[in-house]
């Protein structure tokens, strides 16, 4: 007893799997030129939103072709509609699996892109650390000039800034000066 491929496909339900694989491949092939043409327009979503219906349309066509090859006629019975919808749904599931678990080459960065990104990050870090260092230098310069002004004010008031008791007594006081008093 010899089992042919067509009997195996029909008896064990592999027909829907084969149709689904064909629909998935055809959808990928038809989708590429649609996306490239849509990318040239201002609002590409007008055209790309219809890509969702491709597996249903192509599934109908491939199922009709399969029915014609197997039975030499195409009749729209319940079996045809069931085969069409199951194969189209399975093709969507296969496509979703491929998109989710098999990374696209476009989504993975090349070694050159990784190197350029690292260089950009390093340059941003150096700019930020240089800004931080210059801010710290400005703050320390401002503090030093304030200390020098305080020393000069104390000396002008007749208090020796090097004497510990004079500076200790001045620590508790707050001296407010306006622009005219400087």
């Amino acid at each position: 007893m010899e089992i042919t491929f067509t009997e195996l496909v029909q008896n064990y339900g592999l027909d829907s799997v084969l149709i689904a694989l064909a629909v998935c491949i055809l959808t990928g092939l038809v989708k590429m030129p649609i996306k490239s043409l849509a990318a040239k327009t201002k609002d590409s979503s007008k055209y790309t939103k219809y890509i969702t219906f491709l597996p249903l349309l192509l599934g109908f066509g491939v199922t009709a072709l399969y029915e014609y090859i197997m039975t030499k006629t195409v009749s729209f019975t319940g079996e045809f509609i069931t085969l069409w919808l199951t194969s189209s749904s399975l093709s969507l599931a296969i496509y979703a699996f491929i998109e989710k678990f098999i990374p696209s080459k476009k989504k993975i960065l090349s070694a050159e892109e990784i190197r350029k990104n690292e260089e950009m990050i390093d340059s941003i870090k150096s700019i930020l650390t240089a800004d931080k260092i210059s801010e710290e230098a400005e703050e320390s310069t401002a503090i030093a000039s304030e200390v020098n002004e305080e020393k000069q004010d104390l000396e002008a008031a007749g208090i020796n800034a090097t004497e510990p008791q004079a500076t200790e007594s001045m620590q508790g006081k707050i001296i407010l000066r306006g622009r005219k008093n400087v």
Side-chain angles (χ1 to χ4, degrees), residues 45-95:
S45 66
K46 282 183 180 179
Y47 305 103
T48 57
K49 67 181 175 183
Y50 297 111
I51 291 175
T52 313
F53 298 110
L54 277 177
L56 288 173
L57 296 173
L58 293 173
F60 181 81
V62 172
T63 305
L65 180 65
Y66 171 78
E67 281 291 318
Y68 181 76
I69 290 172
M70 292 299 180
T71 63
K72 302 294 184 214
T73 61
V74 178
S75 58
F76 301 108
T77 62
E79 289 179 24
F80 176 84
I81 293 173
T82 303
L83 182 60
W84 166 44
L85 293 177
T86 56
S87 60
S88 296
S89 300
L90 185 58
S91 73
L92 288 170
I94 291 169
Y95 179 77

Side-chain angles (χ1 to χ4, degrees), residues 21 34 74 175:
L21 288 173
I34 292 173
V74 178
I175 301 172

Side-chain angles (χ1 to χ4, degrees), residues 23-24 39 59 64 109 126 164 172 181:
V23 168
C24 192
L109 296 177
S126 66
N181 294 340

